Amino acid sequence: MGSSSSHIYPDEDLLDLRGRVAIVTGANSGLGIYILLHLVRRGAKVYLAARSQEKADIAMARLEDEGLGPTPGEIVWLDLDLTEPLKAKAAAEWFIERETRLDILVNNAAKYQSPSILGPYARTPDGINASMMINHISPFVFTKTLLPVLEHTASIPSSDVRIVNVSSVGHRWVPSPRYDSLEAFNNDFCDTIKPKTNVYCYTKLANILWTNELQRCFDKAHIPIVTMSVHPGSVMSEGNIRLFTSLTCGRLINWFFSLFFISPYEGGYTPAWAAASKEVAAYPEKYKGKYLVPYGIIEEASVDARREDLAQELWRTTEQLVRDFRWF
């Protein structure tokens, strides 16, 4: 997890973020902790969104060990639970009560369900696919609640407001995606070879479609906010290490993939680059609604990810569920 990668140049690529405020969800471990590290080293005040004070404290100790740099910003715990949209909304409201600006929002937190714990068929108490809830619906409600402070910040002269949604190359692998109903959201892909993987990839496709539609909404309203979706790369994250270790010959599998996968520090760089790069500040129109891969490269997403009708379908169904369940 060393911070000496020769492939990335945060001091050269990233803006001076002193005076700016950011939120990174799922920032207590995995990629999130390194997305946050890149931003706080550039001077940002970053809210570390995690489900408990204990997890946040452990993460802050890890960040101190990594080294926060000569002019670090500030790290503040944000109590965020994405398993329930009302809790996500409450977290956003708590933030708004304390801050007058939000320059960067990185929706990074995601759940890859383990069949030994919840399985691809897990449902929330509301009867909704748990992966879809954590990976799409609650981030949607969280972001929707934060829009007033994001839009206010965007109205400040010389502001640079960005929303970054962490997706995955797996969005390319979803068979015949639909988002037109609760039944579609609850698709367990049980008729496919890898249902657990397909459920996860289905949520990651939703991340890109939502990003694109959100950008279209900002553009129509002439609100200068840049949204981007990001594939962070193939990363030897803590989750992947646990997954590989659980398999037969797990130690050998871990060793093999470590030869090809990047470190979490490197994996956190493309989301941080999207959130804070000088390049995006210089050419915002170039990056609006784009899908980025390591390290900050624009790549064309899948055909389904570029479908405006599918994005609108996802948006309508999500908004309908939010209304029906009174989450907003």
Side-chain angles (χ1 to χ4, degrees):
M1 296 186 186
S3 305
S4 59
S5 170
S6 60
H7 303 294
I8 58 180
Y9 309 96
D11 292 341
E12 298 177 18
D13 294 344
L14 305 186
L15 295 164
D16 182 338
L17 298 176
R18 284 175 290 184
R20 303 194 189 187
V21 180
I23 296 174
V24 180
T25 71
N28 60 287
S29 63
L31 291 180
I33 198 170
Y34 289 99
I35 299 171
L36 186 150
L37 180 63
H38 288 300
L39 300 181
V40 79
R41 281 181 173 175
R42 299 299 297 160
K45 180 179 183 180
V46 189
Y47 280 80
L48 186 162
R51 291 179 62 182
S52 72
Q53 178 77 63
E54 180 184 8
K55 289 182 177 181
D57 288 343
I58 292 170
M60 289 181 192
R62 286 181 59 187
L63 289 162
E64 291 283 351
D65 289 342
E66 286 280 343
L68 299 181
T71 56
E74 180 183 358
I75 305 172
V76 182
W77 172 48
L78 174 61
D79 185 2
L80 175 64
D81 184 347
L82 295 174
T83 62
E84 298 180 37
L86 287 177
K87 290 183 178 180
K89 184 173 185 285
E93 290 171 338
W94 181 91
F95 174 88
I96 290 171
E97 289 174 0
R98 287 157 180 78
E99 294 288 349
T100 59
R101 69 183 297 148
L102 178 57
D103 304 84
I104 296 167
L105 171 59
V106 182
N107 288 305
N108 161 74
K111 184 72 174 178
Y112 187 97
Q113 302 287 16
S114 168
S116 62
I117 300 172
L118 294 174
Y121 318 112
R123 297 286 185 267
T124 69
D126 292 317
I128 296 173
N129 180 299
S131 291
M132 197 64 175
M133 179 66 79
I134 294 168
N135 298 1
H136 169 65
I137 298 173
S138 285
F140 182 97
V141 171
F142 184 62
T143 303
K144 183 180 176 72
T145 310
L146 290 169
L147 284 180
V149 69
L150 287 160
E151 292 174 5
H152 166 73
T153 308
S155 72
I156 299 171
S158 302
S159 65
D160 179 4
V161 179
R162 309 183 199 178
I163 299 173
V164 178
N165 295 323
V166 179
S167 182
S168 167
V169 68
H171 83 273
R172 300 184 182 280
W173 309 333
V174 184
S176 305
R178 293 299 304 271
Y179 295 96
D180 58 350
S181 63
L182 175 57
E183 290 71 27
F185 274 34
N186 282 341
N187 188 350
D188 54 26
F189 294 92
C190 62
D191 57 344
T192 65
I193 297 174
K194 297 181 178 180
K196 179 166 64 78
T197 297
N198 285 332
V199 167
Y200 176 76
C201 294
Y202 178 69
T203 69
K204 294 291 100 180
L205 174 59
N207 292 157
I208 300 177
L209 291 165
W210 169 45
T211 302
N212 296 347
E213 191 62 19
L214 190 58
Q215 186 67 67
R216 282 189 283 268
C217 289
F218 288 141
D219 290 347
K220 288 177 184 177
H222 304 290
I223 297 170
I225 295 178
V226 177
T227 70
M228 290 162 281
S229 54
V230 171
H231 166 52
S234 299
V235 183
M236 283 302 288
S237 64
E238 295 160 20
N240 275 338
I241 290 172
R242 286 193 298 269
L243 174 64
F244 298 152
T245 301
S246 70
L247 303 175
T248 304
C249 302
R251 292 178 65 182
L252 180 60
I253 293 171
N254 263 322
W255 169 81
F256 176 77
F257 279 110
S258 71
L259 300 177
F260 305 99
F261 282 27
I262 60 177
S263 71
Y265 177 85
E266 293 168 304
Y269 190 64
T270 296
W273 191 96
S277 69
K278 297 174 183 177
E279 172 77 8
V280 174
Y283 305 102
E285 294 297 326
K286 176 181 175 182
Y287 288 92
K288 283 184 175 181
K290 298 303 183 183
Y291 170 69
L292 306 184
V293 298
Y295 295 101
I297 304 298
I298 296 175
E299 184 174 283
E300 191 168 70
S302 71
V303 172
D304 284 327
R306 289 180 276 122
R307 284 176 53 191
E308 188 169 345
D309 65 315
L310 197 60
Q312 292 173 349
E313 181 178 278
L314 171 72
W315 189 284
R316 285 193 301 269
T317 303
T318 307
E319 287 279 23
Q320 186 64 54
L321 290 174
V322 168
R323 288 192 296 270
D324 289 349
F325 286 97
R326 299 181 180 178
W327 291 325
F328 195 88

